[in-house]
Amino acid sequence: MYKKKECIAMLLAGGQGSRLFTLTEKTAKPAIPFGGKYRIIDFTLSNCINSGIDTVGVLTQYQPLVLNEYIGNGQPWDLDRTFGGVMVLPPYQKSKSADWYKGTANAIYQNLNFIERYDPDYVVILSGDHIYKMDYSAMLDHHKKMEADCTIAVLDVPLDQASRFGIMNCKDDGAIYEFEEKPAEPKSTKASMGIYIFNREVLSKYLIEDEEKSESSNDFGKNIIPSMLNDGKRLYAYEFSGYWKDVGTIPSLWEAHMDLLGENPVFNLYDSTRRIFSRSESRPPHYIGEGATITNSLISEGCEVHGTVENSVLFGGVYVAPGAVVRDSVIMSDTQILEGSEIYYSIIDSDTVIGKNVKLGAGQKNNKFKITLIGGELNINSDDKIPAGSMVNEAFLANQK
């Protein structure tokens, strides 16, 4: 007889992430590298174990190979449990049907049997593509205190950005009385973070009812939350005031990396009270050459730097040759930047070789710069000049010839 779990987490990790262009051509967005030694999903998995949640279902769909391999048995996050732990949940063929996940709500609906196996009182619904640190146990305590059927984590956003989010209007005690998914004219700035806590029986009821509606888009923001409000269920907002970043675009991914830099970074990876765990490669220490100049940068294991690196993040195994300059950029693992090349405001994916005297993103003004993206496993010819803001893959290089 299995013992019951008070709370389990369901982590939605199947999005295509098409706005990240070449970075997600072969990799699911939650598996994209971040911060020199992590992947995006590390932050949500670490939040779970730091919050005392030891059972996590990871719902995958798009390009899952790298993500599945990375998660493995969950050992780096202390999620290799005999009962519970982490489990990858792809779509599968049932006795009467086989469906892809049609929306966020449908993805959870197709895995109700996984939830019921642990007989939880509460279910936390999470996304695997945000950068933040959060104590879900504090949110759960608030959920219990308010006797809520559903609690939604909210973040105050600028009014000009509010139309990108699910926006809610609340009473003074946080009770939600109106919810609009990506409204053209937002009535408030309280934005959903895509983090929900449900009473398990309520969640199951509304997922089953939603599945029976042929016109439904099977989405929490568009269908489940409005249905619960219409039925008078108790929905409450839980206000979050810490750092949170949706890294679903190239500019936002670059900005999040820049937020890691400085003596007092906007997002602090060095806070030992809420550590971020990862499945990191074992590499030798980084080497800084005698003629190298490094300013305000993160340099990971296995790097070899002989040139100039400023305001940048270098992942493991990056080589910067003598005379090369890297400024305001993110260089992913095992990339080589050869002599005389200048890299500005760029993201370069793994295993790429930047030839000699290449210019990337040069000549930009600080307040109007565009981020240049170079795909993985590419060879940029010596003396090439790549225009600022270019999205470079094999097809781009073929057209340059």
Side-chain angles (χ1 to χ4, degrees):
M1 178 71 68
Y2 289 135
K3 62 181 180 180
K4 106 186 235 86
K5 301 278 187 180
E6 182 190 29
C7 181
I8 70 169
M10 300 295 280
L11 199 165
L12 297 162
Q16 185 172 350
S18 58
R19 293 179 298 168
L20 290 173
F21 299 98
T22 63
L23 296 179
T24 52
E25 283 184 353
K26 299 178 182 178
T27 306
K29 183 163 62 170
I32 296 300
F34 182 84
K37 62 175 294 182
Y38 307 99
R39 293 182 186 265
I40 294 172
I41 198 171
D42 285 331
F43 293 84
T44 310
L45 290 176
S46 297
N47 286 339
C48 286
I49 201 64
N50 288 335
S51 302
I53 298 174
D54 65 6
T55 303
V56 184
V58 180
L59 286 68
T60 63
Q61 181 159 279
Y62 173 80
Q63 295 284 13
L65 178 61
V66 173
L67 182 60
N68 294 356
E69 180 182 57
Y70 183 73
I71 292 171
N73 67 352
Q75 183 272 332
W77 308 274
D78 193 25
L79 290 171
D80 52 337
R81 306 298 179 98
T82 302
F83 178 58
V86 65
M87 182 177 293
V88 175
L89 301 171
Y92 62 95
Q93 183 167 348
K94 305 163 191 67
S95 59
K96 295 183 180 179
S97 64
D99 291 315
W100 291 108
Y101 295 148
K102 295 178 288 186
T104 54
N106 175 260
I108 304 299
Y109 168 80
Q110 290 199 41
N111 288 283
L112 283 176
N113 57 344
F114 173 83
I115 295 173
E116 291 163 359
R117 186 168 186 255
Y118 300 99
D119 190 26
D121 297 316
Y122 309 100
V123 180
V124 184
I125 309 295
L126 304 166
S127 175
D129 51 9
H130 300 144
I131 303 298
Y132 67 113
K133 294 182 182 181
M134 183 175 180
D135 184 357
Y136 304 136
S137 65
M139 182 177 172
L140 180 58
D141 288 343
H142 182 76
H143 178 85
K144 295 175 184 177
K145 177 183 176 182
M146 305 310 294
E147 299 181 346
D149 294 302
C150 173
T151 298
I152 303 174
V154 303
L155 192 72
D156 198 43
V157 299
L159 184 61
D160 61 352
Q161 296 182 26
S163 60
R164 296 171 45 216
F165 299 90
I167 296 296
M168 60 206 77
N169 291 310
C170 306
K171 300 178 182 177
D172 291 341
D173 64 352
I176 301 169
Y177 63 87
E178 186 177 26
F179 184 95
E180 295 179 284
E181 182 70 9
K182 299 181 180 179
E185 297 182 3
K187 299 176 183 177
S188 85
T189 57
K190 293 186 183 300
S192 170
M193 297 168 63
I195 300 171
Y196 311 97
I197 294 181
F198 287 92
N199 294 345
R200 192 256 295 186
E201 291 182 356
V202 172
L203 174 65
S204 297
K205 173 182 181 295
Y206 278 89
L207 289 178
I208 292 169
E209 289 179 357
D210 185 68
E211 196 64 23
E212 294 172 352
K213 300 175 183 177
S214 58
E215 73 282 2
S216 175
S217 56
N218 305 122
D219 184 83
F220 278 102
K222 295 177 182 178
N223 306 110
I224 301 298
I225 301 305
S227 293
M228 292 181 68
L229 284 174
N230 289 338
D231 290 347
K233 292 296 181 182
R234 294 174 61 85
L235 280 77
Y236 281 82
Y238 175 78
E239 296 201 20
F240 178 73
S241 58
Y243 182 91
W244 180 87
K245 192 82 167 180
D246 182 343
V247 288
T249 66
I250 295 301
S252 64
L253 181 64
W254 179 87
E255 289 168 4
H257 277 92
M258 297 302 107
D259 287 342
L260 304 176
L261 302 177
E263 292 185 14
N264 298 296
V266 179
F267 184 56
N268 186 6
L269 291 175
Y270 298 92
D271 178 8
S272 60
T273 62
R274 302 199 67 79
R275 292 176 58 195
I276 302 301
F277 304 96
S278 69
R279 186 182 297 279
S280 300
E281 294 181 84
S282 179
R283 294 178 182 264
H286 64 252
Y287 174 76
I288 308 303
E290 184 177 354
T293 301
I294 299 177
T295 306
N296 192 38
S297 297
L298 296 181
I299 311 297
S300 302
E301 292 180 335
C303 288
E304 185 176 342
V305 180
H306 299 275
T308 298
V309 178
E310 297 180 0
N311 304 317
S312 296
V313 178
L314 272 56
F315 285 70
V318 169
Y319 174 78
V320 181
V325 176
V326 177
R327 288 195 176 100
D328 303 293
S329 294
V330 179
I331 315 298
M332 295 186 181
S333 60
D334 298 305
T335 287
Q336 299 180 50
I337 301 172
L338 302 186
E339 289 84 352
S341 286
E342 298 178 13
I343 314 298
Y344 302 95
Y345 298 106
S346 297
I347 297 176
I348 304 178
D349 202 357
S350 303
D351 298 297
T352 283
V353 177
I354 306 297
K356 296 180 180 181
N357 303 312
V358 171
K359 299 290 189 295
L360 297 183
Q364 303 193 65
K365 295 181 179 179
N366 286 347
N367 59 346
K368 292 185 178 180
F369 57 85
K370 297 178 180 179
I371 304 304
T372 303
L373 174 66
I374 309 295
E377 302 179 8
L378 297 179
N379 286 283
I380 307 300
N381 294 327
S382 295
D383 301 312
D384 271 3
K385 291 180 174 57
I386 307 294
S390 297
M391 301 288 114
V392 179
N393 56 13
E394 291 181 356
F396 179 98
L397 295 178
N399 290 334
Q400 294 291 97
K401 295 179 180 179

mmCIF file of all heavy atoms in Angstrom, residues 338-376:
data_model
loop_
_atom_site.group_PDB
_atom_site.id
_atom_site.type_symbol
_atom_site.label_atom_id
_atom_site.label_comp_id
_atom_site.label_asym_id
_atom_site.label_seq_id
_atom_site.Cartn_x
_atom_site.Cartn_y
_atom_site.Cartn_z
ATOM 1 N N LEU A 338 37.905 32.723 -32.493
ATOM 2 C CA LEU A 338 39.297 32.765 -32.907
ATOM 3 C C LEU A 338 39.843 34.194 -32.972
ATOM 4 O O LEU A 338 39.107 35.165 -32.760
ATOM 5 C CB LEU A 338 39.449 32.045 -34.244
ATOM 6 C CG LEU A 338 38.995 30.567 -34.254
ATOM 7 C CD1 LEU A 338 39.312 29.904 -35.578
ATOM 8 C CD2 LEU A 338 39.615 29.786 -33.093
ATOM 9 N N GLU A 339 41.109 34.295 -33.285
ATOM 10 C CA GLU A 339 41.875 35.544 -33.190
ATOM 11 C C GLU A 339 41.202 36.699 -33.945
ATOM 12 O O GLU A 339 40.774 36.531 -35.085
ATOM 13 C CB GLU A 339 43.289 35.348 -33.741
ATOM 14 C CG GLU A 339 44.190 34.482 -32.872
ATOM 15 C CD GLU A 339 44.010 33.000 -33.120
ATOM 16 O OE1 GLU A 339 43.060 32.625 -33.874
ATOM 17 O OE2 GLU A 339 44.793 32.195 -32.576
ATOM 18 N N GLY A 340 41.138 37.843 -33.286
ATOM 19 C CA GLY A 340 40.690 39.069 -33.932
ATOM 20 C C GLY A 340 39.196 39.228 -34.068
ATOM 21 O O GLY A 340 38.727 40.274 -34.525
ATOM 22 N N SER A 341 38.416 38.240 -33.679
ATOM 23 C CA SER A 341 36.961 38.366 -33.817
ATOM 24 C C SER A 341 36.386 39.259 -32.721
ATOM 25 O O SER A 341 36.902 39.299 -31.596
ATOM 26 C CB SER A 341 36.298 36.988 -33.766
ATOM 27 O OG SER A 341 36.529 36.296 -34.966
ATOM 28 N N GLU A 342 35.309 39.970 -33.061
ATOM 29 C CA GLU A 342 34.652 40.866 -32.123
ATOM 30 C C GLU A 342 33.173 40.500 -32.033
ATOM 31 O O GLU A 342 32.467 40.507 -33.041
ATOM 32 C CB GLU A 342 34.815 42.318 -32.568
ATOM 33 C CG GLU A 342 36.272 42.773 -32.612
ATOM 34 C CD GLU A 342 36.426 44.202 -33.090
ATOM 35 O OE1 GLU A 342 35.392 44.915 -33.158
ATOM 36 O OE2 GLU A 342 37.554 44.604 -33.400
ATOM 37 N N ILE A 343 32.740 40.182 -30.826
ATOM 38 C CA ILE A 343 31.370 39.723 -30.584
ATOM 39 C C ILE A 343 30.678 40.732 -29.673
ATOM 40 O O ILE A 343 31.128 40.983 -28.558
ATOM 41 C CB ILE A 343 31.366 38.331 -29.894
ATOM 42 C CG1 ILE A 343 32.351 37.369 -30.574
ATOM 43 C CG2 ILE A 343 29.955 37.771 -29.850
ATOM 44 C CD1 ILE A 343 32.042 37.075 -32.007
ATOM 45 N N TYR A 344 29.572 41.322 -30.151
ATOM 46 C CA TYR A 344 28.812 42.282 -29.364
ATOM 47 C C TYR A 344 27.340 41.890 -29.334
ATOM 48 O O TYR A 344 26.772 41.507 -30.367
ATOM 49 C CB TYR A 344 28.928 43.696 -29.960
ATOM 50 C CG TYR A 344 30.336 44.226 -30.065
ATOM 51 C CD1 TYR A 344 31.059 44.099 -31.253
ATOM 52 C CD2 TYR A 344 30.957 44.842 -28.982
ATOM 53 C CE1 TYR A 344 32.356 44.587 -31.363
ATOM 54 C CE2 TYR A 344 32.252 45.336 -29.078
ATOM 55 C CZ TYR A 344 32.948 45.203 -30.270
ATOM 56 O OH TYR A 344 34.228 45.672 -30.372
ATOM 57 N N TYR A 345 26.715 41.990 -28.183
ATOM 58 C CA TYR A 345 25.265 41.795 -28.057
ATOM 59 C C TYR A 345 24.791 40.556 -28.842
ATOM 60 O O TYR A 345 23.911 40.649 -29.695
ATOM 61 C CB TYR A 345 24.513 43.037 -28.524
ATOM 62 C CG TYR A 345 24.822 44.262 -27.709
ATOM 63 C CD1 TYR A 345 25.625 45.271 -28.224
ATOM 64 C CD2 TYR A 345 24.323 44.408 -26.416
ATOM 65 C CE1 TYR A 345 25.929 46.405 -27.465
ATOM 66 C CE2 TYR A 345 24.623 45.519 -25.657
ATOM 67 C CZ TYR A 345 25.428 46.515 -26.185
ATOM 68 O OH TYR A 345 25.731 47.625 -25.434
ATOM 69 N N SER A 346 25.376 39.417 -28.511
ATOM 70 C CA SER A 346 25.067 38.195 -29.252
ATOM 71 C C SER A 346 24.809 37.026 -28.304
ATOM 72 O O SER A 346 25.266 37.022 -27.158
ATOM 73 C CB SER A 346 26.227 37.825 -30.188
ATOM 74 O OG SER A 346 26.430 38.817 -31.168
ATOM 75 N N ILE A 347 24.074 36.037 -28.809
ATOM 76 C CA ILE A 347 23.965 34.723 -28.181
ATOM 77 C C ILE A 347 24.496 33.721 -29.198
ATOM 78 O O ILE A 347 24.026 33.681 -30.342
ATOM 79 C CB ILE A 347 22.516 34.376 -27.809
ATOM 80 C CG1 ILE A 347 21.975 35.354 -26.762
ATOM 81 C CG2 ILE A 347 22.423 32.939 -27.283
ATOM 82 C CD1 ILE A 347 20.504 35.138 -26.416
ATOM 83 N N ILE A 348 25.490 32.937 -28.803
ATOM 84 C CA ILE A 348 26.067 31.931 -29.691
ATOM 85 C C ILE A 348 25.810 30.555 -29.084
ATOM 86 O O ILE A 348 26.218 30.284 -27.952
ATOM 87 C CB ILE A 348 27.572 32.152 -29.902
ATOM 88 C CG1 ILE A 348 27.834 33.559 -30.443
ATOM 89 C CG2 ILE A 348 28.133 31.108 -30.857
ATOM 90 C CD1 ILE A 348 29.306 33.880 -30.635
ATOM 91 N N ASP A 349 25.154 29.690 -29.824
ATOM 92 C CA ASP A 349 24.819 28.348 -29.345
ATOM 93 C C ASP A 349 26.066 27.455 -29.328
ATOM 94 O O ASP A 349 27.132 27.816 -29.841
ATOM 95 C CB ASP A 349 23.724 27.748 -30.232
ATOM 96 C CG ASP A 349 22.959 26.627 -29.536
ATOM 97 O OD1 ASP A 349 23.315 26.277 -28.390
ATOM 98 O OD2 ASP A 349 22.016 26.096 -30.152
ATOM 99 N N SER A 350 25.907 26.261 -28.780
ATOM 100 C CA SER A 350 27.033 25.367 -28.498
ATOM 101 C C SER A 350 27.734 24.853 -29.756
ATOM 102 O O SER A 350 27.139 24.754 -30.835
ATOM 103 C CB SER A 350 26.528 24.171 -27.688
ATOM 104 O OG SER A 350 25.906 24.598 -26.499
ATOM 105 N N ASP A 351 29.026 24.520 -29.578
ATOM 106 C CA ASP A 351 29.834 23.812 -30.586
ATOM 107 C C ASP A 351 29.983 24.585 -31.895
ATOM 108 O O ASP A 351 30.129 23.975 -32.963
ATOM 109 C CB ASP A 351 29.238 22.423 -30.859
ATOM 110 C CG ASP A 351 29.237 21.554 -29.622
ATOM 111 O OD1 ASP A 351 30.327 21.253 -29.117
ATOM 112 O OD2 ASP A 351 28.142 21.184 -29.150
ATOM 113 N N THR A 352 29.938 25.881 -31.820
ATOM 114 C CA THR A 352 30.111 26.719 -33.012
ATOM 115 C C THR A 352 31.532 27.296 -33.039
ATOM 116 O O THR A 352 32.114 27.591 -31.996
ATOM 117 C CB THR A 352 29.055 27.837 -33.025
ATOM 118 O OG1 THR A 352 27.807 27.270 -33.429
ATOM 119 C CG2 THR A 352 29.420 28.952 -33.985
ATOM 120 N N VAL A 353 32.074 27.447 -34.241
ATOM 121 C CA VAL A 353 33.401 28.023 -34.421
ATOM 122 C C VAL A 353 33.255 29.376 -35.109
ATOM 123 O O VAL A 353 32.702 29.458 -36.221
ATOM 124 C CB VAL A 353 34.316 27.104 -35.255
ATOM 125 C CG1 VAL A 353 35.671 27.772 -35.496
ATOM 126 C CG2 VAL A 353 34.499 25.760 -34.560
ATOM 127 N N ILE A 354 33.700 30.420 -34.430
ATOM 128 C CA ILE A 354 33.717 31.762 -35.006
ATOM 129 C C ILE A 354 35.129 31.990 -35.549
ATOM 130 O O ILE A 354 36.098 32.040 -34.778
ATOM 131 C CB ILE A 354 33.377 32.834 -33.961
ATOM 132 C CG1 ILE A 354 32.043 32.525 -33.255
ATOM 133 C CG2 ILE A 354 33.353 34.211 -34.598
ATOM 134 C CD1 ILE A 354 30.837 32.527 -34.152
ATOM 135 N N GLY A 355 35.255 32.093 -36.866
ATOM 136 C CA GLY A 355 36.568 32.214 -37.492
ATOM 137 C C GLY A 355 37.295 33.497 -37.111
ATOM 138 O O GLY A 355 36.802 34.309 -36.323
ATOM 139 N N LYS A 356 38.447 33.700 -37.716
ATOM 140 C CA LYS A 356 39.268 34.867 -37.404
ATOM 141 C C LYS A 356 38.648 36.149 -37.971
ATOM 142 O O LYS A 356 38.080 36.148 -39.066
ATOM 143 C CB LYS A 356 40.670 34.688 -37.967
ATOM 144 C CG LYS A 356 41.438 33.520 -37.342
ATOM 145 C CD LYS A 356 42.817 33.392 -37.954
ATOM 146 C CE LYS A 356 43.579 32.226 -37.343
ATOM 147 N NZ LYS A 356 44.945 32.088 -37.904
ATOM 148 N N ASN A 357 38.767 37.228 -37.200
ATOM 149 C CA ASN A 357 38.368 38.578 -37.642
ATOM 150 C C ASN A 357 36.905 38.689 -38.044
ATOM 151 O O ASN A 357 36.543 39.479 -38.916
ATOM 152 C CB ASN A 357 39.265 39.031 -38.807
ATOM 153 C CG ASN A 357 40.731 39.019 -38.424
ATOM 154 O OD1 ASN A 357 41.104 39.535 -37.373
ATOM 155 N ND2 ASN A 357 41.550 38.397 -39.268
ATOM 156 N N VAL A 358 36.057 37.894 -37.421
ATOM 157 C CA VAL A 358 34.611 37.982 -37.653
ATOM 158 C C VAL A 358 34.050 39.132 -36.824
ATOM 159 O O VAL A 358 34.496 39.395 -35.709
ATOM 160 C CB VAL A 358 33.920 36.652 -37.272
ATOM 161 C CG1 VAL A 358 32.398 36.799 -37.298
ATOM 162 C CG2 VAL A 358 34.370 35.541 -38.213
ATOM 163 N N LYS A 359 33.040 39.821 -37.355
ATOM 164 C CA LYS A 359 32.371 40.899 -36.632
ATOM 165 C C LYS A 359 30.898 40.519 -36.457
ATOM 166 O O LYS A 359 30.179 40.319 -37.439
ATOM 167 C CB LYS A 359 32.462 42.225 -37.400
ATOM 168 C CG LYS A 359 33.893 42.724 -37.631
ATOM 169 C CD LYS A 359 34.544 43.193 -36.340
ATOM 170 C CE LYS A 359 35.873 43.891 -36.616
ATOM 171 N NZ LYS A 359 36.902 42.993 -37.199
ATOM 172 N N LEU A 360 30.465 40.422 -35.168
ATOM 173 C CA LEU A 360 29.061 40.129 -34.866
ATOM 174 C C LEU A 360 28.471 41.282 -34.067
ATOM 175 O O LEU A 360 28.986 41.634 -32.999
ATOM 176 C CB LEU A 360 28.922 38.849 -34.040
ATOM 177 C CG LEU A 360 29.375 37.519 -34.630
ATOM 178 C CD1 LEU A 360 29.068 36.396 -33.650
ATOM 179 C CD2 LEU A 360 28.704 37.254 -35.957
ATOM 180 N N GLY A 361 27.404 41.878 -34.559
ATOM 181 C CA GLY A 361 26.667 42.890 -33.802
ATOM 182 C C GLY A 361 27.415 44.176 -33.528
ATOM 183 O O GLY A 361 27.100 44.878 -32.560
ATOM 184 N N ALA A 362 28.386 44.511 -34.333
ATOM 185 C CA ALA A 362 29.188 45.717 -34.085
ATOM 186 C C ALA A 362 28.433 46.985 -34.487
ATOM 187 O O ALA A 362 27.489 46.942 -35.275
ATOM 188 C CB ALA A 362 30.504 45.628 -34.858
ATOM 189 N N GLY A 363 28.862 48.116 -33.946
ATOM 190 C CA GLY A 363 28.345 49.414 -34.356
ATOM 191 C C GLY A 363 26.991 49.776 -33.801
ATOM 192 O O GLY A 363 26.333 50.680 -34.313
ATOM 193 N N GLN A 364 26.558 49.114 -32.725
ATOM 194 C CA GLN A 364 25.244 49.414 -32.162
ATOM 195 C C GLN A 364 25.349 50.446 -31.052
ATOM 196 O O GLN A 364 26.358 50.548 -30.368
ATOM 197 C CB GLN A 364 24.616 48.141 -31.603
ATOM 198 C CG GLN A 364 24.500 47.026 -32.632
ATOM 199 C CD GLN A 364 23.605 45.926 -32.128
ATOM 200 O OE1 GLN A 364 22.422 46.131 -31.928
ATOM 201 N NE2 GLN A 364 24.180 44.751 -31.941
ATOM 202 N N LYS A 365 24.264 51.193 -30.878
ATOM 203 C CA LYS A 365 24.173 52.107 -29.757
ATOM 204 C C LYS A 365 23.530 51.368 -28.584
ATOM 205 O O LYS A 365 22.615 50.572 -28.776
ATOM 206 C CB LYS A 365 23.344 53.333 -30.131
ATOM 207 C CG LYS A 365 23.997 54.188 -31.216
ATOM 208 C CD LYS A 365 23.159 55.413 -31.531
ATOM 209 C CE LYS A 365 23.829 56.258 -32.603
ATOM 210 N NZ LYS A 365 23.025 57.450 -32.946
ATOM 211 N N ASN A 366 24.007 51.649 -27.389
ATOM 212 C CA ASN A 366 23.595 50.892 -26.217
ATOM 213 C C ASN A 366 22.088 50.883 -25.987
ATOM 214 O O ASN A 366 21.540 49.909 -25.490
ATOM 215 C CB ASN A 366 24.298 51.421 -24.962
ATOM 216 C CG ASN A 366 25.759 51.010 -24.924
ATOM 217 O OD1 ASN A 366 26.177 50.156 -25.683
ATOM 218 N ND2 ASN A 366 26.521 51.624 -24.034
ATOM 219 N N ASN A 367 21.412 51.965 -26.330
ATOM 220 C CA ASN A 367 19.982 52.031 -26.044
ATOM 221 C C ASN A 367 19.116 51.566 -27.212
ATOM 222 O O ASN A 367 17.898 51.618 -27.134
ATOM 223 C CB ASN A 367 19.584 53.451 -25.642
ATOM 224 C CG ASN A 367 19.896 54.474 -26.725
ATOM 225 O OD1 ASN A 367 20.630 54.185 -27.657
ATOM 226 N ND2 ASN A 367 19.332 55.664 -26.590
ATOM 227 N N LYS A 368 19.734 51.115 -28.295
ATOM 228 C CA LYS A 368 18.946 50.662 -29.441
ATOM 229 C C LYS A 368 19.538 49.401 -30.068
ATOM 230 O O LYS A 368 19.403 49.181 -31.264
ATOM 231 C CB LYS A 368 18.869 51.770 -30.499
ATOM 232 C CG LYS A 368 18.063 52.993 -30.068
ATOM 233 C CD LYS A 368 17.928 53.992 -31.212
ATOM 234 C CE LYS A 368 17.077 55.172 -30.785
ATOM 235 N NZ LYS A 368 16.921 56.169 -31.873
ATOM 236 N N PHE A 369 20.173 48.578 -29.247
ATOM 237 C CA PHE A 369 20.851 47.410 -29.801
ATOM 238 C C PHE A 369 19.868 46.284 -30.128
ATOM 239 O O PHE A 369 18.783 46.182 -29.565
ATOM 240 C CB PHE A 369 21.926 46.908 -28.834
ATOM 241 C CG PHE A 369 21.412 46.565 -27.464
ATOM 242 C CD1 PHE A 369 20.875 45.321 -27.199
ATOM 243 C CD2 PHE A 369 21.474 47.496 -26.437
ATOM 244 C CE1 PHE A 369 20.405 45.007 -25.943
ATOM 245 C CE2 PHE A 369 21.011 47.188 -25.180
ATOM 246 C CZ PHE A 369 20.473 45.939 -24.922
ATOM 247 N N LYS A 370 20.295 45.429 -31.068
ATOM 248 C CA LYS A 370 19.553 44.220 -31.429
ATOM 249 C C LYS A 370 20.434 43.014 -31.123
ATOM 250 O O LYS A 370 21.640 43.048 -31.340
ATOM 251 C CB LYS A 370 19.199 44.232 -32.917
ATOM 252 C CG LYS A 370 18.289 45.369 -33.326
ATOM 253 C CD LYS A 370 18.024 45.322 -34.839
ATOM 254 C CE LYS A 370 17.119 46.461 -35.283
ATOM 255 N NZ LYS A 370 16.891 46.431 -36.755
ATOM 256 N N ILE A 371 19.804 41.940 -30.632
ATOM 257 C CA ILE A 371 20.557 40.745 -30.267
ATOM 258 C C ILE A 371 20.747 39.867 -31.502
ATOM 259 O O ILE A 371 19.794 39.556 -32.223
ATOM 260 C CB ILE A 371 19.843 39.946 -29.166
ATOM 261 C CG1 ILE A 371 19.586 40.841 -27.950
ATOM 262 C CG2 ILE A 371 20.672 38.728 -28.753
ATOM 263 C CD1 ILE A 371 20.824 41.486 -27.385
ATOM 264 N N THR A 372 21.998 39.469 -31.737
ATOM 265 C CA THR A 372 22.333 38.545 -32.827
ATOM 266 C C THR A 372 22.369 37.135 -32.275
ATOM 267 O O THR A 372 22.942 36.888 -31.215
ATOM 268 C CB THR A 372 23.710 38.901 -33.423
ATOM 269 O OG1 THR A 372 23.680 40.262 -33.864
ATOM 270 C CG2 THR A 372 24.047 37.988 -34.589
ATOM 271 N N LEU A 373 21.749 36.197 -32.993
ATOM 272 C CA LEU A 373 21.738 34.788 -32.574
ATOM 273 C C LEU A 373 22.487 33.949 -33.597
ATOM 274 O O LEU A 373 22.177 33.987 -34.790
ATOM 275 C CB LEU A 373 20.303 34.275 -32.443
ATOM 276 C CG LEU A 373 20.168 32.774 -32.161
ATOM 277 C CD1 LEU A 373 20.731 32.428 -30.787
ATOM 278 C CD2 LEU A 373 18.713 32.324 -32.269
ATOM 279 N N ILE A 374 23.471 33.174 -33.118
ATOM 280 C CA ILE A 374 24.205 32.234 -33.966
ATOM 281 C C ILE A 374 23.854 30.822 -33.512
ATOM 282 O O ILE A 374 24.018 30.478 -32.339
ATOM 283 C CB ILE A 374 25.729 32.451 -33.859
ATOM 284 C CG1 ILE A 374 26.094 33.923 -34.080
ATOM 285 C CG2 ILE A 374 26.455 31.545 -34.847
ATOM 286 C CD1 ILE A 374 25.791 34.442 -35.459
ATOM 287 N N GLY A 375 23.374 29.995 -34.405
ATOM 288 C CA GLY A 375 22.970 28.636 -34.070
ATOM 289 C C GLY A 375 24.127 27.748 -33.685
ATOM 290 O O GLY A 375 25.302 28.113 -33.788
ATOM 291 N N GLY A 376 23.799 26.542 -33.233
ATOM 292 C CA GLY A 376 24.811 25.602 -32.778
ATOM 293 C C GLY A 376 25.432 24.809 -33.915
ATOM 294 O O GLY A 376 24.859 24.664 -35.002
#
